[in-house]
Amino acid sequence: MPLMKSWLDSANLPDCPFPLNNLPLGVFSVGDEEPRCGIAIGDHILDAASAEAAGLIDLDGGPYLDVPFWNDVMEAGAAVWAELRAQVTDLLKAGSDLRGEVEALLVPIADAQMHMPFLVAEYTDFYAGKNHAVNVGTMFRGAENALPPNWLHIPIGYNGRASSVVVSGTPVRRPWGQLKSPDHDVPAFLPSRRFDLELEMGAIVGTASEGPVTVDEADAMIFGYVLLNDWSARDIQAWEYQPLGPFQAKATATSISPWIVMAAALEPFRVMTPAREKDLLPHLRDTGPMLFDIDLSVELRPAGGTSSTIARTNYREMYFSAAQQLAHHTTSGCPMTPGDLLGSGTISGPTKDSRGSMLELSWGGKEPITLVGGESRSFLEDGDSLTLRGAAKGDGYTIGFGDCEGTILPALADPYERN
Ligand code: CA
């Protein structure tokens, strides 16, 4: 599919992340005004809440946009999702009769503050990138036992905390936690010394399920995707993760990009999962291309310093798709809810410069990386700003997500001190 032209010139540039083909959904505010639903187009945001109030957007069963989150639209189902895209396309396409009315509802992105685009119902994080799992497993258990015996058969996951998910731009404070001391028998309670990022994609469940769903049904339930940084304290993780998996190591914060890219905008970029060493059981088998060709990168900028791109990879490196993860999630009968967020797991490529965490990039701290400007890093330092970016490259256009940024604040001097 080629670029769909808008009357807004900035949306027609090949590198613009928000062409008419994209129409990602966010929640924004300007100045002291209340947050409201908006849709990115070019270098502007369409005030979708006002467009609906004015009758320019009129969805079956609505109104849906009189609240500052997109959950009601998700819950309305796929017919309403398609209706929304069709109506907004009509408002913004080149030659639209409604240009005059719509122009008055555009706000420059540069003037807007972004908020959480949806209420996270529940948050599950997976461990379904094979290069990442092999790298981490090799470091923790040796090359022979890198992948646990279940890994090639099910997407491994754990239940995270919805309350810890924050929107891009929210600072993240270095956590305290219980750490194993290499020299002593007793652990110590200290600020994490091995604080890390994880480059992931997040899939958002749009429609509810009761009981198990097939991979195809799961794919149809997914409303959209965001970039996701699963901040991780490796030293807390190493001490706590056996036998029930990560807990406090992953509970400080998880950052997401401010715009939900709807699944429909990613349709042209579908790709297959990689070749499998072992056949999946029938209920998880691939039924078609369910990954997406999305270039991903991580940039690290020290306080007052220059940005370095520390990793470049692609979402197609995943071993299990979000649809397979969601299908697996329901096998027990676990009900899924609109607004459930599924983290993909860290997305690392096969090469050294395509690894999606500092743990892998510095190989457990043994091989620090050198940043532009000469500083080196094994793990993240206070003041470091991390930015994830994602782009699917179409025929003359780009589908972007907006930056997923977070800056690390120093640990509190005493986390139990009360004012
Ligand atoms: Ca993770």
Side-chain angles (χ1 to χ4, degrees):
M1 179 187 284
L3 168 76
M4 296 161 69
K5 282 215 164 168
S6 169
W7 48 258
L8 188 68
D9 290 336
S10 63
N12 300 327
L13 302 172
D15 292 328
C16 172
F18 308 129
L20 192 53
N21 305 57
N22 192 348
L23 300 178
L25 313 177
V27 170
F28 75 103
S29 63
V30 179
D32 295 334
E33 290 172 17
E34 290 294 310
R36 55 195 187 273
C37 288
I39 299 174
I41 179 74
D43 53 7
H44 281 69
I45 300 172
L46 170 66
D47 180 344
S50 296
E52 188 188 55
L56 294 165
I57 296 174
D58 183 14
L59 303 172
D60 189 33
Y64 295 107
L65 307 181
D66 48 354
V67 287
F69 43 80
W70 285 92
N71 298 59
D72 291 359
V73 171
M74 294 178 197
E75 198 166 353
V80 168
W81 308 348
E83 203 184 10
L84 172 71
R85 290 183 68 78
Q87 289 185 12
V88 175
T89 299
D90 275 347
L91 298 179
L92 294 168
K93 71 183 180 192
S96 171
D97 298 339
L98 296 160
R99 174 174 178 167
E101 286 167 76
V102 175
E103 239 168 354
L105 301 177
L106 292 184
V107 174
I109 288 179
D111 293 351
Q113 162 85 28
M114 299 308 296
H115 304 270
M116 277 294 291
F118 69 110
L119 305 175
V120 180
E122 301 200 52
Y123 167 49
T124 306
D125 194 32
F126 286 89
Y127 184 61
K130 193 172 164 204
N131 295 310
H132 173 72
V134 168
N135 286 339
V136 173
T138 301
M139 275 182 261
F140 282 34
R141 293 181 294 274
E144 297 285 291
N145 303 307
L147 286 185
N150 53 9
W151 202 93
L152 295 171
H153 301 279
I154 48 172
I156 307 292
Y158 66 94
N159 288 309
R161 293 283 302 175
S163 62
S164 67
V165 181
V166 297
V167 73
S168 172
T170 308
V172 175
R173 190 171 292 282
R174 179 182 301 275
W176 284 68
Q178 197 173 113
L179 318 180
K180 184 187 173 196
S181 163
D183 313 317
H184 309 287
D185 291 338
V186 289
F189 188 65
L190 291 167
S192 171
R193 296 158 179 175
R194 297 180 142 225
F195 200 51
D196 200 356
L197 79 141
E198 288 191 339
L199 168 62
E200 303 190 23
M201 295 286 299
I204 302 164
V205 175
T207 47
S209 67
E210 295 275 350
V213 301
T214 66
V215 171
D216 283 329
E217 287 166 344
D219 191 53
M221 284 167 63
I222 296 171
F223 179 72
Y225 291 83
V226 288
L227 304 174
L228 186 149
N229 182 352
D230 178 29
W231 302 96
S232 301
R234 302 300 180 192
D235 36 11
I236 299 174
Q237 188 177 355
W239 177 233
E240 75 176 2
Y241 88 104
Q242 288 178 319
L244 286 182
F247 188 50
Q248 292 306 289
K250 306 279 193 172
T252 299
T254 296
S255 301
I256 62 167
S257 53
W259 297 103
I260 303 169
V261 173
M262 292 177 74
L266 294 172
E267 274 301 318
F269 305 99
R270 281 184 181 270
V271 287
M272 284 301 291
T273 43
R276 299 192 182 280
E277 294 153 53
K278 294 192 174 162
D279 284 344
L280 297 176
L281 291 178
H283 69 289
L284 290 183
R285 232 166 249 169
D286 298 275
T287 55
M290 289 194 187
L291 285 176
F292 300 98
D293 179 4
I294 302 170
D295 289 328
L296 300 167
S297 67
V298 183
E299 222 171 69
L300 190 162
R301 183 170 50 78
T306 311
S307 285
S308 301
T309 299
I310 59 171
R312 287 182 201 280
T313 181
N314 191 293
Y315 184 48
R316 67 191 303 165
E317 296 289 347
M318 294 303 302
Y319 195 77
F320 292 99
S321 65
Q324 286 167 321
Q325 293 175 344
L326 176 53
H328 174 61
H329 211 317
T330 66
T331 48
S332 59
C334 176
M336 301 303 291
T337 310
D340 281 348
L341 176 64
L342 309 185
S344 60
T346 307
I347 307 163
S348 293
T351 57
K352 247 184 145 172
D353 57 359
S354 62
R355 295 172 178 168
S357 67
M358 292 300 295
L359 178 68
E360 297 166 86
L361 288 164
S362 73
W363 205 252
K366 293 197 182 99
E367 301 168 19
I369 59 167
T370 303
L371 306 177
V372 175
E375 278 190 60
S376 72
R377 283 289 181 282
S378 291
F379 292 93
L380 303 176
E381 302 283 340
D382 294 345
D384 284 354
S385 168
L386 277 296
T387 303
L388 313 187
R389 295 205 175 85
K393 286 287 183 185
D395 179 10
Y397 69 96
T398 303
I399 298 289
F401 294 78
D403 291 354
C404 178
E405 191 273 343
T407 299
I408 299 173
L409 302 177
L412 296 170
D414 174 358
Y416 293 107
E417 189 182 13
R418 301 286 178 266
N419 291 326

